[in-house]
Amino acid sequence: MTVSTTIAHPPVQPTDAAAPPRRALKAPKESYKVNWPLTIVLLMAALTILIPLYFTVVMALKGPSQTGGTGLETPNPVEFANFPAAWVTVGFGRALMSTAFVTVFSVIGAVLASSMVAFAIARNWERRFFRASYVYLLSALFIPFPVLILPLIKQTAVLGLDNPVGVILLHVLGGISFFSLLYIAFIRSIPVEIEESARLDGASTWQVFWRIIVPLLGPMNATVAIFAFLGAWNDFLLPQMIIADPTLQTLPVVQNLFQGEFNTDYNLAFASYLMALAPTLIVYVLAQRWVLSGVMRGAVK
């Protein structure tokens, strides 16, 4: 007699492949309402930038015979020769180097000087002298610049600073008021305990500032740097009034060559403007992430 043995197998569970497809659960769609009046206002504001930019591009690519009309017609044929002609006419290379020299050192000076002034005021707020310095910086924002321009011209001429170095110093000194206020608000949001722990390890005031505070000022440094860059790169009045040597003039001043009483070469002028615009766009694309971060952090605080 044989005994048949059977092995009990666990019931086979249906695999996921064999299972009927489940209907994907959809998250409830958030209902939002478009604010059409505000959207229309934003579109109109965008057009105030896009239309002049389009006008600049098409005028730079046209020949003198296509300058008539509304100026918004597309160029036919495209004249790329305007760019080398504008480069030679205004001495674009020399003016570009002078502008870059003024801008780079103005940005570096503005970031270093303003951050050090703000650190001294923010960490000595309980002392009367530093609170008075804060009020002094705040009051400097309300002095119109045309009131100061003639004394500045006289002083820079007497001191031998009627050159790009004098323009750099004036950019740094002129920006300390506004930039220091930005830095003071940012530094006061940094916990003092971080600095106290560094001082317990033997760090001096300079080491605390350079090794602790400066790395934390990254977003605000980017914000101040791009404001200082735009102010120095696009400045027309200060270089024109201060720099005595025409060969050391900056781009905004030499581009005024195209605007004459009896003749105006629009095509060369807009080609030169477009070339001068390129570094500004490059800096914005590279730094806009830190700028927005700094602005948002300041808004939250």
Side-chain angles (χ1 to χ4, degrees):
M1 180 179 179
T2 61
V3 178
S4 63
T5 59
T6 59
I7 300 175
H9 297 282
V12 178
Q13 298 294 334
T15 61
D16 294 340
R22 297 179 180 179
R23 179 175 297 179
L25 297 178
K26 295 183 178 179
K29 185 177 181 180
E30 295 182 0
S31 61
Y32 62 90
K33 185 178 180 181
V34 178
N35 190 339
W36 286 109
L38 183 58
T39 303
I40 293 174
V41 171
L42 291 177
L43 289 175
M44 296 295 292
L47 290 178
T48 60
I49 302 298
L50 295 177
I51 291 178
L53 184 60
Y54 170 79
F55 183 85
T56 303
V57 173
V58 296
M59 286 297 292
L61 297 175
K62 289 181 179 178
S65 60
Q66 307 175 50
T67 306
T70 62
L72 298 177
E73 297 84 359
T74 56
N76 186 23
V78 177
E79 294 287 347
F80 289 105
N82 292 329
F83 293 96
W87 183 285
V88 174
T89 302
V90 300
F92 197 92
R94 185 179 62 248
L96 179 65
M97 294 303 295
S98 180
T99 308
F101 174 76
V102 171
T103 303
V104 169
F105 285 98
S106 296
V107 170
I108 295 175
V111 170
L112 290 178
S114 301
S115 60
M116 287 191 286
V117 169
F119 177 69
I121 293 176
R123 289 300 183 249
N124 296 280
W125 187 252
E126 68 282 357
R127 300 182 181 179
R128 183 177 300 176
F129 172 76
F130 292 95
R131 288 203 303 271
S133 301
Y134 176 79
V135 175
Y136 174 76
L137 292 176
L138 186 63
S139 62
L141 295 175
F142 297 93
I143 300 176
F145 182 73
V147 176
L148 305 175
I149 186 63
L150 287 180
L152 289 176
I153 294 173
K154 182 66 175 178
Q155 292 174 4
T156 52
V158 170
L159 297 175
L161 293 175
D162 50 348
N163 50 44
V165 177
V167 176
I168 293 172
L169 291 177
L170 293 178
H171 277 151
V172 174
L173 296 176
I176 280 182
S177 299
F178 177 65
F179 297 146
S180 295
L181 297 181
L182 296 178
Y183 275 119
I184 288 173
F186 193 90
I187 292 176
R188 294 184 70 178
S189 67
I190 299 175
V192 184
E193 289 77 9
I194 299 176
E195 304 172 28
E196 292 176 346
S197 62
R199 291 186 184 277
L200 290 176
D201 293 335
S204 62
T205 301
W206 171 255
Q207 290 173 329
V208 169
F209 171 75
W210 191 252
R211 297 184 178 181
I212 305 296
I213 299 301
V214 170
L216 297 176
L217 293 178
M220 188 52 65
N221 284 338
T223 304
V224 170
I226 198 165
F227 278 123
F229 173 85
L230 293 176
W233 186 268
N234 297 321
D235 187 20
F236 173 81
L237 181 61
L238 204 55
Q240 187 193 33
M241 303 296 287
I242 299 298
I243 299 177
D245 189 352
T247 61
L248 299 177
Q249 279 295 355
T250 58
L251 272 176
V253 178
V254 298
Q255 286 175 335
N256 196 40
L257 173 69
F258 296 110
Q259 301 292 331
E261 183 178 0
F262 301 105
N263 60 334
T264 300
D265 196 332
Y266 289 108
N267 305 114
L268 295 187
F270 283 105
S272 179
Y273 300 156
L274 205 57
M275 289 190 292
L277 179 64
T280 307
L281 294 178
I282 293 173
V283 170
Y284 173 75
V285 170
L286 295 178
Q288 55 89 19
R289 182 165 60 91
W290 291 281
V291 173
L292 293 178
S293 174
V295 171
M296 292 301 294
R297 182 170 295 190
V300 172
K301 296 297 180 187

